[in-house]
Amino acid sequence: MSRTFPTSVDVVIVGSGPCGAAYARVLSERAPQATLLTLEVGPQLADPPGGHVKNILDEQARAAAQRASEGPAPLSADTPTDTMDGYADEAPRMARPGTWLLPSGYRQPGEDGLPNAAMSSNVGGMGAHWTGACPRPGEGERIAFLDDLDELLTEGERLLAVDDHAFDDAPFADEVRKRLADHLDADRAEDRRVAPMPLAVTRHADGRLTWSGSDVVYGDATRANPRHTLLPEALVTRVLLTDGRASGVRVRDLQTGEEHDVAARYVVVAADSLRTPQLLWASGVRPHALGRYLNDQPQTVYAVRLRDVGHADQEDVDPRGRSSIVAQSGVSWVPYTDQHPFHGQVMQLDASPVPLAADDVPTPGTIVGLGWFCAKDLQESDRLEFDETAPDPYGMPGIQVHYRLTEADHASIAAATAAVKEVAAALGDPLGGEPFTFGPGASLHIQGTVRMGETPDGTSVCGPTSEVWDVPGLHVAGNGVIPTAIACNPTLTSVALAVAGARSIAGSLSERN
Ligand code: FAD
């Protein structure tokens, strides 16, 4: 039986990841009279919609939710759900559970490409599968022309329920941070010193920890809003324009194949860094910067076993094989600075990423994974191109990636490798051989493809409120909007930028009513 699609709403939001959800939340709070429609190509996995799959404790149910997120050609049902799988593999392409890779076009001859460029297709987007690290950008990562960036980040932290102290009682976490601080903090500004990683997790009264997904971003304000509708399995194929202004969307109901036009005063495209520019291109919105300044964060990883720490109180706990967050999963943050231009993430792991001897059961919290992320040397020529003659699995214009690591990128990766070895030596005894650098795209932090600018000078797609230059009523959202080459995990920043966009729509809607 076919579903009812509204014929007209105030705001259509394309995509239900954290950024689309942020628009729905802020509009529900600030423009409660507005009718809102979220259209999401993937299926709904959980109730309430947008929940994180790692909060599903039953392993089979979790695996089913992950497979359902993997786009038109999911992996086989017996693919493991353990997200540590493949962490230290040298496989040329690596799909994390709940994600799917570009099937083709990810590398052009003679270029580096983005072999690990991934997407998630489900209610909640990648936010149903992410790790929840929410550091603030600092120094050169910041968007200099946004005077209110800090306030927007604070609002982003509220929407994502970011907690700086969720793992304060993780065994050895203080010791890990002390060793990191002794080694790294001497010349750092106070707000860029080693710290617990701010994480989008909630500690419940009974001590249980859960990950924030879009469900948390939507919050009760959106769920209780009778004027917000979320329709899953609904592919937006086109943004409709009237006299140069966004006037609605064309959507294909994947349950029936029927197409519908929905009129709207505002359209927000929050369809990830690959598919947001794809949808604009398919709609004939093709500013020069569309798809350009594509960037990902080259990532180098290493693992150590903490030296001289003895045993933790929870030594009876063997954390291996668990997917829920456990108290020993401490995460520390080494903030980016202009002098140390890497974002460092130091995780006390639930399992070793490199094989240990069968009888070597690590004391919980003593195996530590280090991930150093680099900022890309931004190039206009790093870009997505679209090809209607070679459609993607949804029938949308096929994506062709042009992407090269420059000499500066290779130097930065070499410096990150040296830095990670030094830091590892300060913590303990390295496990395995040399640090390993993932292939491009593996950070899952693809940015820049619909970037924000202060003025319409041809190097950006949208202005400071994320409205596309010269297309009133059309907003873009997601990591693609971030204009700087940030090295830190981008979701908090993208959600903060979405807040500014949603506020501006809410303001215009109230003025016009
Ligand atoms: P998404 O979450 O990707 O959502 C976009 C949605 O749009 C998808 O649901 C998609 O199906 C939908 N869509 C696309 N095209 C269409 C269309 N045409 N019509 C309808 N719907 C469409 N980030 C961090 O900051 N910190 C972390 O610790 C972190 N860890 C991660 C770990 C993993 C394993 C993964 C997979 C990701 C991680 N990320 C992390 C990245 C983070 O999940 C993303 O930055 C975030 O989800 C981006 O939010 P978004 O709303 O912009 O896009």
Side-chain angles (χ1 to χ4, degrees), residues 15 17-19 40-41 120-122 125-127 129 131-133 236 478-479 489 491:
C19 292
E40 165 57 55
V41 68
S120 294
S121 289
N122 53 276
M126 273 196 183
H129 309 281
T131 314
V236 175
N479 302 331
N489 321 68
T491 309

Side-chain angles (χ1 to χ4, degrees), residues 60-333:
Q60 271 188 327
R62 191 167 67 248
Q66 288 171 333
R67 297 296 84 79
S69 308
E70 292 168 359
L75 298 174
S76 72
D78 55 5
T79 310
T81 63
D82 181 353
T83 53
M84 288 312 299
D85 274 22
Y87 185 79
D89 282 2
E90 303 204 15
R93 302 187 81 204
M94 180 176 64
R96 314 283 171 86
T99 71
W100 57 289
L101 300 176
L102 272 182
S104 60
Y106 52 83
R107 187 192 287 123
Q108 309 308 318
E111 300 186 358
D112 296 291
L114 281 179
N116 296 299
M119 297 158 277
S120 294
S121 289
N122 53 276
V123 173
M126 273 196 183
H129 309 281
W130 71 325
T131 314
C134 283
R136 286 186 172 217
E139 305 196 4
E141 293 180 303
R142 288 174 64 88
I143 304 165
F145 58 83
L146 288 184
D147 295 337
D148 55 352
L149 183 61
D150 287 318
E151 190 271 323
L152 294 172
L153 290 164
T154 301
E155 180 66 352
E157 287 162 349
R158 178 180 78 93
L159 299 193
L160 288 160
V162 175
D163 187 340
D164 291 351
H165 298 288
F167 292 106
D168 275 0
D169 55 356
F172 314 125
D174 289 343
E175 183 58 25
V176 168
R177 280 195 274 281
K178 183 183 174 308
R179 292 182 191 186
L180 290 171
D182 287 349
H183 187 67
L184 291 161
D185 271 356
D187 299 319
R188 287 171 175 255
E190 205 170 323
D191 65 341
R192 303 310 288 169
R193 293 194 182 140
V194 172
M197 178 67 81
L199 288 168
V201 299
T202 300
R203 183 180 279 275
H204 299 271
D206 60 2
R208 203 169 39 97
L209 289 150
T210 52
W211 307 80
S212 299
S214 288
D215 59 337
V216 170
V217 181
Y218 283 128
D220 289 339
T222 313
R223 282 187 287 274
N225 181 356
R227 297 188 175 85
H228 176 246
T229 306
L230 187 158
L231 292 174
E233 298 171 68
L235 172 73
V236 175
T237 56
R238 199 173 176 86
V239 176
L240 304 172
L241 305 170
T242 304
D243 298 331
R245 190 189 159 87
S247 57
V249 295
R250 178 156 304 152
V251 53
R252 184 176 306 143
D253 183 347
L254 297 187
Q255 295 179 355
T256 63
E258 286 169 13
E259 296 222 325
H260 306 270
D261 283 358
V262 181
R265 290 154 81 178
Y266 294 89
V267 175
V268 178
V269 184
D272 79 38
S273 298
L274 300 173
R275 289 177 286 178
T276 294
Q278 176 193 51
L279 181 56
L280 265 60
W281 193 90
S283 311
V285 177
R286 300 176 185 176
H288 178 74
L290 188 75
R292 294 180 181 273
Y293 304 96
L294 169 67
N295 69 101
D296 159 64
Q297 304 168 348
Q299 184 190 359
T300 297
V301 295
Y302 208 27
V304 293
R305 187 194 292 250
L306 292 180
R307 194 184 301 119
D308 306 328
V309 285
H311 283 272
D313 292 344
Q314 293 106 316
E315 65 186 290
D316 53 328
V317 180
D318 179 354
R320 296 173 299 173
R322 292 200 188 189
S323 76
S324 56
I325 318 175
V326 288
Q328 50 267 33
S329 316
V331 189
S332 300
W333 173 29

Side-chain angles (χ1 to χ4, degrees), residues 16-40:
S16 63
C19 292
Y23 269 86
R25 168 80 171 269
V26 173
L27 285 163
S28 293
E29 289 177 344
R30 293 196 168 212
Q33 78 290 351
T35 47
L36 313 175
L37 173 64
T38 296
L39 297 168
E40 165 57 55

